[in-house]
Amino acid sequence: MKLAARNLSKRFGAHHALRDVSFEVQPGQVHALCGENGAGKSTLIKVLSGIHREYEGDVLVDGASRRFASIRDAEHAGIVVIHQELALVPELSAAENVFLGHEPTRLGLIDRARMERESAEVLRRLGSAIDVRTPVRSLGVGEAQLVEIARALHKKARVLILDEPTAALSEREVTSLFEVLRGMVRAGVSLVYVSHRLREVFALADQITVLRDGRSVTSLAARDCTEGELVRHMVGRPIENVFPPREVVLGEAALRVRGLSVGTRLSEIDLEVRSGEVLGIGGLVGAGRSELLLHLFG
């Protein structure tokens, strides 16, 4: 399916979120959408997926102009979005989440056998052996994302839009996700991939469109572009030194933590932050970063 936007403009009061944006996804293509925060990526996604219904310009599906009345309307046309925050119900099983809002019935009752059978089949096509009866809360982040993708496939998505899909994934889970996405492309699904991680963009994308200040500034083949050139288009100027040296005069220690342990989540945490200093705390999902900050905050 070919999805295109022609001269899209969207404003919120006096603020122009999009100005004459043009964007085109060819069948079976991975098209990356890049830009700084506030460039208009999320607004464009919401127009393409039926969330924003009032706008100027055209959305075209296989050359025909469409104006979606709702998210479900866009999904019926084959356009499905997977947002950064997964829209799953933790207490429901994987199968129930795949069919959420589209539950099949038999003799007036939900046909759970069909749900489990068809969910297992879709996940098998994605290379996953998840037990579809497992509650989503018991799945890892990567497995939960596969459930979300399975739901999109079950809706017969022809264009799948992924908004920062790797933000909470480990390196191994990213590799597995990319294998799944490449398999979907080989099966004829087009992908719109939104990410700030440029290495991933170049690893996956065929085409890249850059938004800046609500405008589409360029669209170019990934193989013909370098990371430096892409950054230049995103920020509007050459970046000679991404991390220029800084001279910082640090003051006295403003916060000291020694041997902080809380249950099984935090063990012997030591850190110190001095006045005028920026301290970074890194780690994968589940490593304890949020717990640390919550306990420091009391």
Side-chain angles (χ1 to χ4, degrees):
M1 183 177 87
K2 181 177 178 180
L3 175 66
R6 291 284 180 269
N7 304 115
L8 280 186
S9 295
K10 172 67 178 174
R11 57 189 295 169
F12 299 94
H15 173 63
H16 283 268
L18 298 176
R19 294 174 182 262
D20 293 319
V21 169
S22 293
F23 176 72
E24 188 172 285
V25 186
Q26 297 294 336
Q29 182 185 67
V30 181
H31 198 126
L33 191 59
C34 295
E36 296 185 286
N37 289 335
K41 304 186 299 297
S42 295
T43 303
L44 176 58
I45 289 172
K46 289 175 180 178
V47 170
L48 294 176
S49 61
I51 296 174
H52 291 326
R53 292 172 289 175
E54 300 298 325
Y55 56 86
E56 298 173 15
D58 294 293
V59 173
L60 299 103
V61 176
D62 288 333
S65 181
R66 297 289 302 269
R67 187 171 288 264
F68 301 123
S70 64
I71 295 173
R72 181 161 291 190
D73 194 15
E75 290 178 347
H76 286 160
I79 303 166
V80 179
V81 180
I82 295 179
H83 296 280
Q84 182 175 342
E85 299 294 333
L86 299 182
L88 300 174
V89 181
E91 301 306 318
L92 296 182
S93 69
E96 289 169 324
N97 273 281
V98 168
F99 277 85
L100 192 63
H102 301 83
E103 294 83 358
T105 59
R106 184 172 181 270
L107 301 176
L109 300 174
I110 292 178
D111 190 345
R112 297 189 180 277
R114 177 183 166 189
M115 287 170 55
E116 293 175 1
R117 182 177 65 253
E118 293 186 12
S119 297
E121 171 59 23
V122 175
L123 284 164
R124 185 192 62 76
R125 285 162 47 196
L126 295 174
S128 172
I130 295 171
D131 184 343
V132 296
R133 295 166 296 183
T134 304
V136 164
R137 58 176 162 74
S138 300
L139 300 178
V141 178
E143 292 176 318
Q145 193 148 44
L146 285 179
V147 172
E148 185 93 62
I149 292 173
R151 182 164 66 187
L153 280 182
H154 192 266
K155 293 176 180 176
K156 295 182 170 48
R158 295 192 291 160
V159 175
L160 183 61
I161 302 174
L162 299 109
D163 187 7
E164 299 286 354
T166 63
L169 300 185
S170 67
E171 195 72 25
R172 178 182 58 80
E173 289 170 327
V174 170
T175 301
S176 297
L177 174 63
F178 277 22
E179 290 175 0
V180 168
L181 296 180
R182 292 186 181 106
M184 294 175 67
V185 172
R186 289 192 294 269
V189 178
S190 302
L191 302 181
V192 178
Y193 191 83
V194 182
S195 180
H196 288 97
R197 299 181 177 183
L198 301 188
R199 186 181 65 172
E200 295 178 5
V201 168
F202 284 103
L204 192 64
D206 303 306
Q207 191 79 8
I208 303 171
T209 290
V210 178
L211 298 186
R212 185 175 72 241
D213 298 329
R215 301 179 185 272
S216 48
V217 295
T218 189
S219 184
L220 64 171
R223 65 176 179 275
D224 298 331
C225 181
T226 64
E227 187 169 319
E229 183 182 2
L230 181 56
V231 171
R232 178 174 62 81
H233 285 303
M234 289 169 62
V235 301
R237 65 185 188 281
I239 302 295
E240 303 297 336
N241 193 341
V242 178
F243 298 108
R246 296 185 301 165
E247 292 186 7
V248 179
V249 178
L250 298 179
E252 298 295 321
L255 173 68
R256 287 193 183 94
V257 177
R258 294 290 181 266
L260 175 62
S261 298
V262 182
T264 59
R265 299 306 305 273
L266 302 175
S267 177
E268 297 295 325
I269 302 294
D270 294 335
L271 62 84
E272 180 175 292
V273 190
R274 299 169 66 184
S275 176
E277 182 177 36
V278 178
L279 174 69
I281 299 175
L284 297 175
V285 172
R289 299 165 303 171
S290 298
E291 288 83 353
L292 172 59
L293 295 179
L294 289 170
H295 282 287
L296 291 180
F297 191 64

